[in-house]
Structures are given as structure tokens and as C-alpha cells.
Amino acid sequence: MAVDAGHEAVGIDALTYAGRSKNLTERPSNLLAFYRYDINVASVVGGILREHQPDAIVHLAAETHVSRSIESREAFLQTNVMGTNVLLEEALTYWLDREAHFFKFVHVSTDEVYGSLSPEEAPWTEVSPYRPNNPYSASKAASDHLALSYHHTYGLPVIVTHSANNYGSRQHPEKFIPTMIRQCMNGEPMTLHGDGQQIRDWLHVDDHCRGLLAVLERGRIGEVYNFGGECERTNEQIARIVWTASWPALKDMWGQNLSWHSPETFNMLKFTADRPGNDRRYAMDISKVRAELGWSPTRKIEESIHDVVCWYLENPNYGEDYGR
Ligand SMILES: NC(=O)c1ccc[n+]([C@@H]2O[C@H](COP(=O)([O-])OP(=O)(O)OC[C@H]3O[C@@H](n4cnc5c(N)ncnc54)[C@H](O)[C@@H]3O)[C@@H](O)[C@H]2O)c1
């Protein structure tokens, strides 16, 4: 999206189990260069900055899957905290050398750093207290504090963003919506943690990217910006939305065998043990980005899920390309 808007971009990604290089090559991306490197390698990061002289860094590289972070925390601390520190350190050296040239370090984070809301509580604003509840959100919270500390202590032009749950095509198969779609395609029950009534706010990835672009172009240094979809849905509602969107294609695929699964007689849910410490509700107040950046979400999941579902149905084996 940044490239479409006329910016030149260079990518660094280690292509861990969660990375897929085809996500870059399947769409016209026109990256100036792509480096398959770990952000923890300071000499590489510094070398790339000196070679390409960027006006901004948008830092998205992270370990992101909450369930994995509950199983094992090491990679989350290494990439999300230590890796962020390497980027900040190298950015600081680079920025100081450039002497007052325009520069921004946009640190991309998550609404999960704010913890969990009850159904009655007001959505989070940029000044809500941090209350991360799992190792993933704790590591992202730590990286947010680190990023802002580089601004306060050294003047590095940092901006921190928090986004609600993203959805779109090409998402790793372990994420919630791709999992729901895959289970539909396989004729398996859609599995939900606990009672399935956890509420998440859903933001289409294109809206998130538009928001990050707005931050790059108009965001104020040292500020925090929250991006949400104003689209709070329970996990069970999402499963039903996915099923309804998948239904016409699945009916063609499976014929009459599927008649008992029609959206009206939906009985494709399976409830499993809840994730330890699972947050109940995430919700974002987006007044600040509306007023300051002129940004608002353009899509509701009920309308945009159709294209997303079609992409997964048309690319059933896309998951095999992860990690390369
Ligand atoms: N997906 C969401 O719903 C969501 C919501 C809010 C915020 N975010 C944030 O947006 C960013 C991107 O999220 P995502 O969902 O695309 O994550 P993802 O897990 O799908 O992808 C992470 C990417 O980072 C790369 N990576 C991981 N460790 C690396 C390292 N040490 N060095 C270089 N590259 C590395 C992986 O190869 C992969 O391409 C993250 O910072 C995440 O916290 C995501």
C-alpha cells in the first residue's frame, strides 16, 4: 500500500514459520530490495539503513501467536523485546548520523497490551493503562515502552500504534479466521475456545495499512494511535459469519451432503477448553485517529468477509509456502 501511494520500500523479514515470501511476489509490490534476515542481527540492520537511507522504519516483525507464547516464551522475548531494541539502537545511530533529516520510527503494536475489558467498560483510548495478560501481549507491551523511551530519552522520532485484530487474505493458517475457513472447507466442526463468547474488534488489514500510512505521513512524533474496526463480534459470531459466507461455495463443492449444515440449521461448532488466561473483550476508541489523521475503518466484516473467504477457498494449499 505504501508503494502504491508512491513510496519506495525495502523489506527485512526472517521468514520464520510465520513468514511467506509469496505474500510479496503474488501481488505487485515493487520493493526496492528484500532481505531475509533476523532483526536481531544488528550489523545487518545497520548496513541496510546506511545503504538505503530510509526516511522511516515501520516495524512489524514479531512473534504474534498467543497460544504459542503460552507454550514457549523465548522467541517472543527475543524478537519482540530484544529485536525491537536492536532496531531502535540501529535507528538511533542512523538518525543521529543524518542530522535532522526527516525520520520516523513507527512501532506497530496491538490492542492486547491493554488487557481485557468487561462488556460494560468503555473501549480503550491511547491513555488507557497497560494490563497485558499473556506472554505475547506482555512482550509487545515491553517493546512499546522501550520504543517510547527512545523518544523520551534520546529524541528518536518514534510513534506507537495499536491495532485491533486484523483479517484478510494470506494470513497464517494458525490465525482464527483462516482456521474457521479451513475447518469449513474440510467439513469439520469449527472449534471455539471456552464458551466462544470472547469479544474481539475486527479490522480489515487494508484499513490497518491505510492507518499506518496516515501515521507515516501525518502522525505526530511521540504520539500513540489506536486503530480499531468499530466491529466488535464474539468468536461465535465470527464463526457464523464465516460459515454463512462460505456456504454457497461449499454447497457447490459438496452438493446435497451439506444440506443439514445450512446457515439456518447451523450446528458446526465445537467448544474446547478455554485458553489459559484468555481475555474476555477487546475494544478500541478511535476518536483520536478520526480527528487527527482523518482515518476511519471502511469495511465491516459481514460485507468484506466474502472476498476473504473466496481467496482461501481458491488457495487451499497456500499454507505450504510458509517458512520460505
Ligand atoms: N494480525 C493482527 O491481528 C495484529 C493486530 C495488531 C497488531 N499486530 C502487529 O502487527 C505486526 C504484524 O503482525 P502479523 O499478524 O502480520 O504477524 P505474523 O506472525 O503473521 O508475521 C510476522 C512476520 O514477522 C517475521 N518475523 C518474526 N520474527 C522475526 C525476526 N526476528 N526478524 C525478522 N522477521 C521476523 C515473520 O517471518 C513474519 O513474516 C506484529 O507486530 C503484530 O504484533 C497484528
Side-chain angles (χ1 to χ4, degrees):
M1 194 170 280
V3 172
D4 291 343
H7 299 282
E8 292 179 325
V10 169
I12 308 177
D13 193 307
L15 297 179
T16 66
Y17 85 94
R20 180 176 183 264
S21 58
K22 281 192 180 172
N23 287 354
L24 294 171
T25 54
E26 279 174 0
R27 348 169 63 176
S29 74
N30 296 328
L31 280 184
L32 283 181
F34 175 76
Y35 296 91
R36 184 176 186 176
Y37 272 106
D38 191 316
I39 56 166
N40 284 287
V41 186
S43 57
V44 167
V45 172
I48 292 170
L49 291 177
R50 283 189 296 280
E51 182 178 344
H52 291 283
Q53 301 278 313
D55 294 327
I57 294 176
V58 183
H59 172 30
L60 293 130
E63 289 290 333
T64 64
H65 196 53
V66 175
S67 298
R68 282 179 188 262
S69 80
I70 293 169
E71 294 299 317
S72 174
R73 288 137 304 275
E74 183 69 29
F76 287 76
L77 298 178
Q78 189 61 51
T79 289
N80 300 0
V81 184
M82 299 311 293
T84 297
N85 190 54
V86 168
L87 285 186
L88 289 163
E89 199 66 46
E90 293 305 312
L92 180 61
T93 306
Y94 166 71
W95 174 68
L96 290 173
D97 284 351
R98 285 184 101 209
E99 289 172 5
H101 272 73
F102 174 88
F103 185 69
K104 271 182 184 173
F105 187 111
V106 180
H107 175 69
V108 181
S109 189
T110 169
D111 57 359
E112 300 190 34
V113 298
Y114 296 122
S116 181
L117 288 167
S118 69
E120 300 77 34
E121 281 178 290
W124 293 305
T125 70
E126 286 77 359
V127 295
S128 294
Y130 274 52
R131 293 201 175 95
N133 285 324
N134 58 61
Y136 163 61
S137 54
S139 68
K140 291 297 289 188
S143 66
D144 293 2
H145 293 312
L146 202 51
L148 287 171
S149 79
Y150 270 75
H151 172 63
H152 291 292
T153 311
Y154 310 110
L156 186 69
V158 169
I159 298 174
V160 171
T161 67
H162 297 125
S163 168
N165 275 28
N166 285 202
Y167 67 97
S169 59
R170 299 179 175 80
Q171 221 178 2
H172 191 279
E174 72 189 358
K175 295 275 162 65
F176 182 61
I177 288 182
T179 301
M180 295 292 104
I181 297 172
R182 188 175 60 258
Q183 290 175 331
C184 282
M185 286 167 70
N186 294 342
E188 298 162 2
M190 301 158 92
T191 46
L192 296 174
H193 287 134
D195 63 3
Q197 298 310 301
Q198 306 86 351
I199 295 170
R200 303 291 181 255
D201 178 16
W202 290 93
L203 180 65
H204 193 281
V205 64
D206 287 354
D207 277 337
H208 186 189
C209 292
R210 268 194 318 107
L212 295 179
L213 203 51
V215 167
L216 265 182
E217 292 170 350
R218 303 187 289 285
R220 285 185 296 138
I221 302 301
E223 289 293 317
V224 175
Y225 294 101
N226 286 356
F227 292 99
E230 293 191 326
C231 185
E232 288 183 55
R233 302 287 182 272
T234 66
N235 287 347
E236 180 175 340
Q237 283 172 326
I238 293 295
R240 290 177 184 276
I241 289 166
V242 165
W243 178 256
T244 305
S246 310
W247 166 250
L250 295 180
K251 212 161 46 156
D252 286 348
M253 201 188 287
W254 292 349
Q256 293 310 309
N257 296 338
L258 204 65
S259 55
W260 59 282
H261 286 324
S262 78
E264 296 76 41
T265 57
F266 182 86
N267 60 355
M268 288 279 283
L269 295 179
K270 181 176 162 194
F271 296 90
T272 62
D274 205 354
R275 194 159 63 189
N278 205 354
D279 292 329
R280 202 60 187 162
R281 173 176 168 238
Y282 302 146
M284 298 277 246
D285 180 328
I286 58 170
S287 312
K288 181 173 174 179
V289 286
R290 263 191 215 288
E292 253 193 50
L293 304 178
W295 178 94
S296 52
T298 61
R299 304 172 186 220
K300 279 279 174 280
I301 197 162
E302 284 77 2
E303 288 96 54
S304 50
I305 195 72
H306 179 258
D307 288 351
V308 174
V309 163
C310 285
W311 188 88
Y312 288 99
L313 294 178
E314 285 161 13
N315 296 276
N317 301 320
Y318 81 105
E320 292 167 8
D321 298 320
Y322 274 87
R324 52 196 158 107

